[in-house]
């Protein structure tokens, strides 16, 4: 294993070399030279993995790369036959009802990338493993994906997995481009800090979905607009639920709102009547519910049975038909703020996605598509599929400047023409901030006539008023 | 809302737990094993009820009966397949077997039933008792307005029926008296001519029937999923131990103590600590056992 790790360092060092370093030594040459020299100690550097490059030729691309600060390492490299992305998934656990759409989006994106010729002409392969949204299992799965499956990047991981594994993920030095997490922790953690060429200050997590700070701010703005200035809050005691509630409260109180009462509860209980009776000891007109779906259905059914009153403000995961079906008509008027579907390439994503299966689209589906596409484009720009090269190129392919592209096919073509590119995604414009975040509008989904339907949109500009640039 | 309302909530929670804890503690007392797979028995009962109500379809009361009968049959079959062959190996191998069986069953259920939770189609009526005079002690209102729902009444009613039938079974029938005799001293019971294997089988069936009933009641209140029973096994275990492991009457008392403590701690713990309600129930369990190791009933039937 040490030998494999050493090979990794060999690849890494080549990736950070300046582009105009025409004297760069490719790995095979290096190994041959080492072998000819009889340096037995370097034998451990030989990898028998299927992703060894045959040769590497560095070429200049258009744009102003080469200064070592924009991560421009566009190379033409005789590519491996396969490039693997690892997808830790919620195949079981509290969020498994969201996984079908996420899996279908990832599979559709991989097919789209391969149909367009694949990154560097290689076949993109997605390896999916179940974490059950359990941090311990997530660590094992992530290690397996990187060490056993040779994943060049990780597509996925939840807030409740990322936050406790933060130090481990930094040591792993494999980019995690995830469609799941809303955690406010990631507002200022992750990304390349605006210096793609310098990985020393990087944090190896990027998210292709707007964070809780964005849609909770949109949700809070909408609540204030509806005249709900005094609310109750009931949330689960896990990282994701707590994070959502705190993000909402920060924005809500910042806009002049006040919290009458807050109750935190464990998940999976058979009854939440005691918690509700405690919450409703105070007077308010609306109350925020931040829970996973099954616990939320139990709580909202209890709320309906108890006739407590008030308007539920739901966390983003609860805009599901099952919630209305089980709770019933009392939910009429409740709303959830979900990440908007405002990306420029949403229509292209939707048509491709629907040709790939019949899973419903949820709020985490388009970001999954974006995560795969932007990571594949980073490989295409880098000219190699090493984790560090991907890390260095995620920012440059997504940020403003360069030719706007809305698919891998367009991006591959533009890069081949020596152009810089700016990928415009399906969920958001996917302009990664220095902290590896994206920004977008927020859709308000309201329960009415037995279904959730979009009744309002809070624009990205409006939300930005409550989310300062440097803090997200 | 006041103390009375929260005691009502506690009684409802305690009733769920009590029905299941009786089955759990009977297995402990008579078969001499801690059955960690019992949570999965509850899950199986919930899914049998869902299948009966949804696929056949039959009215909910009939679905409950189907779940109870199905639970009994499944429990006996699992016992014959996994526990009866190792009856003589002692409690530890049987405990380990039950842990493994529970894990396997949970995953099989997940594979067969899929990832989505299933729900019973029910409607609930709420009965309100308002206008009661305030009777405050400090910040706590001892009375206040009270409501109960038809679901609450069904759960509590089922529990009461189970208690009455169980008492009659244990005190008025030959099988029940033989169960108690085995619980006290299996060797002596055998010497006196009791067919101990038949009694063990009866206990497995009874425990499965109770698990089926508990499973359907929990699924009506929440849902049926692969983790329905597993999510409650610690509370059931705590209630059984708190009451005095092996004693069904103690398990009933322990269940209501746990249920009421859960409700009251959620209602009255300082703000920011409400999530610790489950922990409070277990702190009380530890406290009771320190003072009275044999539990509320004052007798530990087995030494396992």
């Amino acid at each position: 294993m040490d030998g494999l790790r050493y090979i990794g360092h060999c690849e890494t060092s080549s990736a950070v070399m300046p582009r105009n370093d025409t004297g760069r030594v490719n790995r095979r040459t290096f190994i041959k030279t080492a072998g000819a020299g009889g340096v037995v100690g370097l034998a451990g550097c030989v990898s028998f993995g299927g992703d060894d490059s045959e040769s590497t030729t560095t070429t200049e691309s258009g744009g102003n790369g080469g200064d070592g600060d924009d991560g421009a390492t566009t190379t033409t490299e005789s590519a491996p036959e396969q490039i693997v992305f690892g997808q830790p998934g919620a195949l079981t656990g509290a969020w498994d009802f969201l996984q079908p759409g996420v899996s279908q989006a990832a599979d559709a994106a991989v097919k789209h990338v391969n149909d367009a010729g694949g990154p560097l002409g290689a076949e993109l392969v997605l390896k999916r493993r179940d974490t059950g949204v359990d941090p311990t299992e997530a660590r094992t799965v992530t290690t397996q994906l990187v060490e056993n499956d040779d994943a060049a990047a990780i597509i996925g991981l939840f807030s409740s997995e990322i936050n406790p594994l933060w130090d481990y993920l930094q040591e792993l030095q494999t980019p995690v481009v995830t469609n799941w997490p809303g955690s406010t922790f990631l507002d200022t953690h992750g990304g390349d800090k605006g210096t793609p060429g310098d990985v020393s200050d990087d944090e190896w997590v990027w998210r292709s979905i707007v964070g809780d700070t964005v849609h909770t701010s949109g949700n809070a703005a909408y609540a204030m607009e509806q005249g709900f200035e005094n609310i109750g809050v009931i949330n689960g005691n896990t990282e994701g639920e707590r994070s959502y509630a705190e993000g909402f409260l920060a924005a809500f109180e910042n806009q002049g709102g006040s919290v009458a009462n807050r109750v935190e509860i464990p998940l999976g209980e058979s009854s939440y009547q005691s918690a509700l009776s405690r919450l409703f000891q105070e007077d308010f007109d609306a109350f925020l519910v931040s829970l996973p779906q099954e616990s939320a259905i139990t709580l909202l059914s209890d709320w309906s049975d108890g006739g407590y009153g008030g308007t539920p403000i739901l966390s983003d995961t609860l805009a599901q038909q099952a919630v209305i079906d089980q709770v019933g008509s009392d939910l009429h008027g409740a709303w959830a703020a979900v990440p908007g579907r405002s990306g420029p390439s949403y229509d292209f994503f939707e048509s491709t996605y629907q040709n790939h299966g019949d899973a419903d689209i949820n709020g985490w589906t388009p970001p999954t598509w974006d995560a795969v596409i932007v990571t594949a484009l980073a490989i295409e720009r880098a000219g190699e599929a090493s984790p560090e090269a991907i890390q260095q190129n995620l920012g440059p392919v997504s940020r403003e400047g360069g030719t706007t592209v809305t698919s891998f096919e367009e991006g591959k073509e533009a890069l081949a023409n020596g152009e810089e590119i700016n990928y415009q995604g399906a969920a958001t414009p996917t302009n990664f901030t220095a902290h590896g975040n994206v920004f977008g509008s927020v859709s308000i989904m309201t329960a009415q006539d037995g279904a959730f339907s979009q009744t309002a949109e809070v624009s990205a500009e409006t939300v930005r008023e409550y989310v300062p640039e440097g803090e997200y | 809302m006041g103390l009375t309302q929260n005691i009502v909530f506690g009684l409802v929670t305690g009733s769920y737990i009590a029905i299941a804890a009786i089955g759990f503690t009977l297995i402990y007392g008579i078969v001499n094993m801690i059955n960690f797979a019992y949570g999965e028995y509850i899950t199986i009962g919930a899914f049998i009820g869902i299948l009966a109500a949804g696929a056949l379809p039959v009215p909910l009361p009939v679905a409950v009966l189907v779940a109870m009968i199905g639970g009994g049959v499944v429990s006996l079959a699992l016992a014959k397949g996994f526990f009866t062959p190792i009856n003589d190996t002692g409690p530890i191998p049987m405990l380990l077997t039950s842990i493994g069986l529970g894990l396997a069953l949970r995953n099989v259920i997940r594979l067969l039933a899929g990832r989505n939770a299933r729900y019973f189609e029910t409607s609930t009526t709420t009965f309100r008792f308002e206008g009661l005079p305030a009777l405050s002690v400090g910040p706590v209102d001892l009375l206040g307005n009270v409501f109960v729902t038809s679901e609450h009444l069904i759960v509590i009613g089922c529990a009461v029926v189970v208690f009455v039938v169980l008492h009659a079974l244990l005190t008025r029938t030959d099988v029940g008296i033989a169960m108690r005799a085995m619980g006290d001293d299996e060797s002596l019971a055998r010497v006196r001519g009791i067919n101990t294997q038949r009694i063990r089988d009866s206990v497995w069936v009874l425990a499965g029937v109770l698990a089926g009933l508990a499973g359907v009641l929990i699924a009506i209140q929440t849902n049926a999923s692969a983790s329905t029973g597993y999510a409650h096994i610690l509370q059931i275990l705590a209630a059984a131990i708190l009451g005095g492991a092996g004693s069904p009457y103690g398990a009933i008392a322990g269940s209501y103590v746990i249920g009421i403590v859960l409700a009251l701690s959620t209602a009255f713990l300082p703000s920011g600590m409400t999530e610790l309600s489950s922990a409070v129930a277990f702190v009380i369990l530890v406290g009771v056992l320190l003072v009275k190791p044999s539990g509320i009933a004052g007798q530990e039937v087995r030494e396992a």
Side-chain angles (χ1 to χ4, degrees), chain A residues 121-281:
Chain A
E123 180 192 10
L124 181 61
V125 175
L126 189 76
K127 294 280 179 70
R128 183 177 298 129
R129 291 176 182 267
D130 183 27
T131 70
V133 200
D134 173 73
T136 307
E137 190 64 18
R139 179 176 179 136
T140 303
V141 161
T142 307
T143 304
Q144 288 173 334
L145 288 168
V146 172
E147 301 289 353
N148 299 351
D149 300 329
D150 290 331
I154 299 296
I155 307 294
L157 288 180
F158 283 75
S159 299
S160 53
E161 298 168 326
I162 291 172
N163 296 8
L165 297 180
W166 183 255
D167 290 342
Y168 168 72
L169 293 174
Q170 304 316 306
E171 291 165 10
L172 199 62
Q173 299 211 333
T174 299
V176 176
V177 188
T178 175
N179 56 292
W180 290 115
S183 172
T184 51
F185 173 79
L186 291 177
D187 288 358
T188 52
H189 290 77
D192 60 11
K193 307 306 173 194
T195 55
D198 174 16
V199 295
S200 64
D201 60 350
D202 281 18
E203 293 170 319
W204 295 70
V205 177
W206 307 70
R207 59 177 166 185
S208 55
I209 187 168
V210 295
D212 285 349
T213 298
V214 174
H215 50 93
T216 54
S217 295
N219 205 354
Y222 184 74
M224 294 294 285
E225 190 181 306
Q226 299 302 304
F228 296 120
E229 297 179 355
N230 185 36
I231 63 163
V233 177
I234 189 161
N235 63 272
N237 60 353
T238 51
E239 173 66 26
E241 283 63 45
R242 195 175 281 149
S243 168
Y244 188 93
E246 286 172 0
F248 180 94
L249 291 180
F252 187 68
E253 290 174 333
N254 192 35
Q255 294 171 49
S258 61
V259 178
N261 201 359
R262 180 178 180 182
V263 175
E264 200 161 87
I265 54 177
L267 308 182
E269 298 288 290
S270 59
S271 170
Y272 289 111
Q273 288 287 10
S274 296
L276 284 166
S277 87
R278 176 163 187 152
L279 179 71
F280 281 87
Q281 283 174 348

Side-chain angles (χ1 to χ4, degrees), chain A residues 90-93 96-97 99-100 237 242 261-266 268-275 277-278 281 293-294 297-298 302 304-308 326, chain B residues 1 6 9 13 16 110 115-117 119-121 124 126 128 147 149 151-152 221-223 225 231-232 235 263 265-271 274-275 277-278:
Chain A
L91 305 183
T92 59
D96 57 6
F97 65 97
Q99 186 65 39
N237 60 353
R242 195 175 281 149
N261 201 359
R262 180 178 180 182
V263 175
E264 200 161 87
I265 54 177
E269 298 288 290
S270 59
S271 170
Y272 289 111
Q273 288 287 10
S274 296
S277 87
R278 176 163 187 152
Q281 283 174 348
Q293 181 176 299
E294 290 173 12
I297 287 174
T298 303
D302 286 348
S304 173
D305 292 345
Y308 293 95
Q326 298 307 319
Chain B
M1 288 183 189
N6 281 290
F9 298 150
T13 304
Y16 291 121
R110 184 172 284 137
R115 58 171 64 92
N116 293 328
Y119 295 87
F120 281 101
E121 295 294 330
T124 305
T126 303
R128 299 184 181 283
F147 74 86
T149 69
E151 278 183 9
H152 293 166
Q221 170 67 18
T222 59
N223 57 65
S225 70
H232 293 86
Q235 290 175 349
S265 55
T266 301
F268 299 114
L269 273 175
S271 183
T274 50
E275 57 167 325
S277 56
S278 299

Side-chain angles (χ1 to χ4, degrees), chain A residues 13-76:
Chain A
S13 62
S14 69
V16 296
M17 284 180 180
R19 285 189 317 168
N20 58 358
D21 182 7
T22 53
R24 178 177 173 180
V25 178
N26 70 51
R27 185 168 49 190
R28 170 157 288 201
T29 304
F30 172 74
I31 293 171
K32 282 179 179 175
T33 306
V39 185
V40 177
L42 287 181
C45 216
V46 177
S47 169
F48 297 98
D51 61 346
D52 278 345
S53 303
E54 289 301 313
S55 65
T56 303
T57 306
T58 306
T59 60
E60 291 287 346
S61 69
N64 59 355
D67 59 8
D69 196 45
D70 69 349
T73 54
T74 303
T75 58
T76 301

